[in-house]
Amino acid sequence: MALCLVVPATLFMALLARAEFGESRARYERQLIATTRALVLATDRQIGQGQSILQTLAVSPDLIAGDIPAFERQARAAVAGGQGWIVLLDNERQLVNTRSPPGEPPPTIGLPDYRWQTIRAGRSSVSNLVRPAKAGQFPPFVSIDMPVIVGGKLYDLAYQQPPEAFSSIFAAQSIPHSWTASIVDREASLVARSKDGDRFLGRKVSDQMRKAMTRGNEGVTLSHTLDGTATLSAFSRSSSTGWSFIVGVPRSELSRANFASVGWLTMASLVLLIIGAGAAVLVARDISASVRGLGVDAKAVAAGEEIALVPDRFREIAEVRAALHDAAHQLRTREAEELRAHQRQQLMINELNHRVKNTLFTVQSLARQSLGRPADTPGLTAFNERIMALARAHDLLTQSVWAGADLKEILEETLEPYLDRTVLAGPPAALTPNAALALSMVFHELGTNAVKYGALSAPEGTVTVVWHVDPGALHRLTLHWEERGGPTVSPPARKGFGSRLIAASLKSDLAGEARIDYRPSGLVCVLTLSLPRTGRQEGERQADI
């Protein structure tokens, strides 16, 4: 009872604390995403300024005319006072480099092949961070490349900037000192960083962040910075340059921000839970012992054992124990009565089956005495075989206490001498006693015909019986009997007794019909009938409804 009072309050406070923590983290995530988007815009704007300079210089009359000295003066004026410089080069050498002092020949470094391929394709692009193959060869830079034609030859007009040119973007976005903001290129190499940018320049971002960046152009994830600080980090990718911008807040800062609102709720919940648990243990100790005793009594009822009436100081427990005692006594009484009833029922069914079989044998004897020897009476043997088929069907029904029989069991019993040459395939189909008797006679007639005239009269002959049941309201059964490998079959001149027996049994007892096809390759018989539902099937159908 104490727990019933304390646990809901504790759960409510836990949910409240969790909601507060989630809302606090969501606020940080929104702020981080907004900051990365601002970095994207600021960087794209700065790169756009460089592209504007290139577009202006690309249409310079001096460049178009091939007056390189005049163009160089114009290029130096365009970037004067800024951190960037202009380079005009091809894949072999540089014609202009405004980073070099005026009058000094530009460096003899040409454009790398991977960037020259982009220029040859006629596309402008923003490079990744370019670093020298050898230390001291040239400082790292980022290049904005644009293809131009000078004197009928293709060149790259580039606006290049050092990584430091992007560091001012962090200050303009007022990023808190404890946070870490980074700009990385398309290869996930660090271009600029709000803290220790020179130390980590060109380093790859952490594996956690790289995996997160492969899943989308924007997101938030838990990761670590390059100096090992655990952070909640957000990233956004520029659609124009393919660069990514990462901003991370230390998780310790998140924890401190959430502790003030969540910590007291958590402490109060723990105190209430401890108080409630202590009270529950003290109050429920005796009740638990009594209830465990009821569990032992319930197992005794299931085992059919007698339950002793033991007094208990809890009135409700005593009442339940008394009820279990009465239930155990009633169950034992009913089991004894059911056993005696089952024995009586089995005795009566065995006696009935014995009397029926005696009657059938009496009928056989009367037929034999009245009609003479089988050799003198052609139909007597078939008559005796039909009587025996009926007796075997009675045996099957006796085994199931006249609850019915399965279709496959009837077929196996009827075709037992020829099962090695018979294929039976179909789902379980429960038959009522009347249906079992009727179909037993039908299968006997088909089997007898197959042995005398059909497939089973030849050594290689086979019989295939396939059936299926439509589980609808009519519960229709369709059975396909097909003979192969026997002598050539032709339609009889007249219908025999067997054909009339099959048609009459199906029509009168099973509300069905038989279609017999005398194919040259073997007889084919299709039986279609309605199966009355057995008691078990009807119970299942009512349960489904």
Side-chain angles (χ1 to χ4, degrees):
M1 292 176 64
L3 287 175
C4 287
L5 296 174
V6 173
V7 169
T10 303
L11 290 176
F12 175 75
M13 284 187 285
L15 292 174
L16 186 63
R18 180 177 179 179
E20 176 61 27
F21 181 85
E23 178 59 28
S24 178
R25 174 168 171 167
R27 287 195 298 269
Y28 271 99
E29 290 180 356
R30 290 193 294 269
Q31 186 175 359
L32 289 172
I33 287 291
T35 304
T36 58
R37 291 173 179 172
L39 288 175
V40 170
L41 293 176
T43 305
D44 286 349
R45 185 165 52 250
Q46 181 165 322
I47 291 175
Q49 293 173 354
Q51 292 172 334
S52 298
I53 294 174
L54 292 179
Q55 290 171 354
T56 302
L57 294 175
V59 296
S60 168
D62 295 328
L63 179 64
I64 296 173
D67 189 349
I68 301 303
F71 172 75
E72 181 177 352
R73 290 192 296 272
Q74 185 179 4
R76 290 182 182 278
V79 296
Q83 293 179 292
W85 60 92
I86 298 295
V87 179
L88 180 64
L89 73 167
D90 57 15
N91 60 332
E92 296 179 354
R93 62 191 182 92
Q94 296 183 8
L95 299 182
V96 174
N97 190 325
T98 62
R99 192 169 181 274
S100 302
E104 182 177 318
T108 58
I109 302 174
L111 194 66
D113 289 340
Y114 70 93
R115 289 171 57 195
W116 181 247
Q117 295 297 328
T118 303
I119 295 301
R120 289 188 61 186
R123 298 195 306 267
S124 298
S125 64
V126 179
S127 72
N128 295 317
L129 178 66
V130 180
R131 305 186 72 187
K134 298 179 181 180
Q137 187 177 10
F138 58 83
F141 64 88
V142 174
S143 179
I144 305 172
D145 300 308
M146 178 180 293
V148 294
I149 302 295
V150 179
K153 185 178 179 182
L154 179 65
Y155 286 91
D156 175 25
L157 180 61
Y159 178 73
Q160 299 177 349
Q161 296 174 284
E164 295 82 8
F166 298 93
S167 299
S168 60
I169 296 175
F170 301 127
Q173 298 302 320
S174 301
I175 296 176
H177 178 72
S178 59
W179 294 15
T180 302
S182 304
I183 302 175
V184 298
D185 60 20
R186 292 181 294 275
E187 295 180 350
S189 299
L190 192 72
V191 176
R193 195 171 187 264
S194 61
K195 294 186 293 186
D196 299 327
D198 294 338
R199 175 186 170 192
F200 296 108
L201 182 66
R203 290 270 299 273
K204 302 290 185 182
V205 299
S206 65
D207 293 337
Q208 296 165 314
M209 180 56 65
R210 228 180 307 182
K211 290 178 181 178
M213 290 167 62
T214 59
R215 292 193 290 267
N217 292 327
E218 188 174 86
V220 181
T221 185
L222 296 175
S223 65
H224 290 77
T225 61
L226 292 177
D227 55 9
T229 304
T231 59
L232 174 67
S233 300
F235 66 91
S236 292
R237 184 176 292 114
S238 171
S239 59
S240 59
T241 64
W243 287 10
S244 297
F245 303 84
I246 306 170
V247 178
V249 55
R251 283 182 237 172
S252 57
E253 182 176 330
L254 285 175
S255 300
R256 286 193 301 271
N258 292 323
F259 181 77
S261 57
V262 176
W264 289 110
L265 287 174
T266 304
M267 291 297 297
S269 301
L270 290 175
V271 170
L272 288 175
L273 185 60
I274 292 171
I275 294 174
V281 169
L282 294 175
V283 174
R285 184 172 53 188
D286 294 339
I287 297 177
S288 298
S290 298
V291 172
R292 284 193 294 270
L294 289 179
V296 175
D297 292 344
K299 291 180 180 178
V301 172
E305 301 174 358
E306 188 174 358
I307 297 176
L309 284 177
V310 180
D312 198 291
R313 68 190 187 93
F314 297 105
R315 186 184 65 185
E316 293 82 359
I317 300 294
E319 291 175 353
V320 174
R321 181 168 286 115
L324 288 174
H325 178 271
D326 294 340
H329 177 72
Q330 293 178 14
L331 285 174
R332 290 197 304 274
T333 302
R334 290 176 183 173
E335 288 175 357
E337 292 177 353
E338 289 178 359
L339 179 60
R340 289 193 295 271
H342 179 73
Q343 291 172 347
R344 289 194 300 269
Q345 183 187 40
Q346 188 65 46
L347 179 62
M348 293 175 65
I349 289 175
N350 290 337
E351 176 66 20
L352 175 63
N353 188 55
H354 178 69
R355 290 177 181 270
V356 169
K357 294 178 72 175
N358 283 343
T359 302
L360 293 176
F361 287 131
T362 300
V363 171
Q364 278 185 313
S365 298
L366 289 173
R368 199 178 301 116
Q369 293 294 329
S370 302
L371 300 176
R373 295 177 302 172
D376 300 330
T377 308
L380 183 59
T381 300
F383 177 79
N384 288 334
E385 289 177 352
R386 290 178 180 119
I387 292 295
M388 294 305 297
L390 193 59
R392 287 194 295 271
H394 272 270
D395 286 337
L396 275 178
L397 291 172
T398 301
Q399 293 173 10
S400 63
V401 197
W402 277 79
D406 187 76
L407 175 62
K408 190 174 183 180
E409 293 177 349
I410 297 292
L411 284 165
E412 289 175 344
E413 182 70 25
T414 305
L415 302 175
E416 180 180 5
Y418 315 102
L419 287 180
D420 57 335
R421 298 164 60 191
T422 306
V423 177
L424 305 178
L431 305 174
T432 61
N434 288 340
L437 290 173
L439 285 177
S440 176
M441 298 302 297
V442 170
F443 296 145
H444 171 74
E445 293 301 325
L446 289 172
T448 301
N449 182 76
V451 170
K452 289 182 176 180
Y453 315 110
L456 297 182
S457 66
E460 295 81 11
T462 60
V463 175
T464 301
V465 185
V466 180
W467 66 92
H468 68 272
V469 179
D470 181 6
L474 297 179
H475 205 54
R476 299 289 290 179
L477 168 70
T478 302
L479 183 140
H480 189 92
W481 173 293
E482 183 173 356
E483 302 177 16
R484 289 183 178 274
T488 303
V489 176
S490 61
R494 61 182 181 84
K495 286 189 176 181
F497 176 77
S499 300
R500 295 196 300 272
L501 175 63
I502 292 173
S505 299
L506 288 170
K507 184 176 180 180
S508 61
D509 295 335
L510 300 172
E513 63 176 351
R515 298 190 302 275
I516 301 178
D517 185 3
Y518 296 93
R519 299 178 184 176
S521 60
L523 182 139
V524 175
C525 180
V526 179
L527 307 180
T528 305
L529 56 136
S530 295
L531 290 181
R533 295 183 182 273
T534 63
R536 178 175 61 84
Q537 291 171 334
E538 186 63 27
E540 292 176 353
R541 189 175 74 89
Q542 294 296 333
D544 292 339
I545 294 174

